[in-house]
């Protein structure tokens, strides 16, 4: 508890929020920004960012599995951007001539 009487977040919760922001949200936003800078189409950037967030949510192993199989967790984290781009490409495939 803080001396001012208001409760702050605990160190474990702060670590979880930082991991979520640093390992899920930031890479998705960076990929979306890169796509937007190349295509100048806001929808393309948003689509890629959303697809990477979706794939990150689907492929993210639980904390227990990550401790048991660290190599599998590393491989999964490396496949998230590739999977997100693949999902975005599959969504765009029927929409563009």
């Amino acid at each position: 508890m803080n001396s001012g009487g208001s409760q702050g977040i605990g160190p474990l919760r702060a670590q979880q929020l930082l991991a979520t922001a640093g390992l899920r949200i930031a890479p998705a936003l960076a990929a979306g920004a890169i796509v937007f800078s190349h295509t100048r189409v806001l929808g393309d950037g948003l689509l890629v960012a959303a697809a990477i967030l979706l794939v990150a949510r689907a492929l993210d192993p639980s904390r227990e599995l990550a401790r048991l199989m660290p190599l599998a967790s590393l491989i999964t984290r490396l496949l998230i951007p590739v999977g997100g781009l693949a999902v975005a490409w599959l969504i765009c495939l029927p929409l563009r001539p």
Side-chain angles (χ1 to χ4, degrees):
M1 189 182 286
N2 295 337
S3 61
S6 65
Q7 291 184 343
I9 61 173
L12 184 60
R13 180 67 180 146
Q15 183 181 10
Q16 291 170 347
L17 289 173
L18 186 60
T20 299
L23 295 174
R24 286 188 186 168
I25 298 171
L29 291 178
I34 290 170
V35 168
F36 172 70
S37 73
H38 285 283
T39 63
R40 296 289 181 209
V41 178
L42 183 61
D44 290 348
L46 291 175
L47 178 68
V48 168
I52 290 179
L53 282 173
L54 178 76
V55 171
R57 179 74 176 148
L59 291 181
D60 191 25
S62 67
R63 200 172 278 246
E64 293 79 23
L65 288 177
R67 270 188 250 148
L68 292 174
M69 299 179 291
L71 182 61
S73 176
L74 176 67
I75 291 170
T76 301
R77 291 199 189 274
L78 290 174
L79 288 176
I80 286 173
V82 176
L85 290 174
V87 167
W89 180 72
L90 287 173
I91 290 172
C92 286
L93 197 59
L95 300 177
R96 297 230 171 136

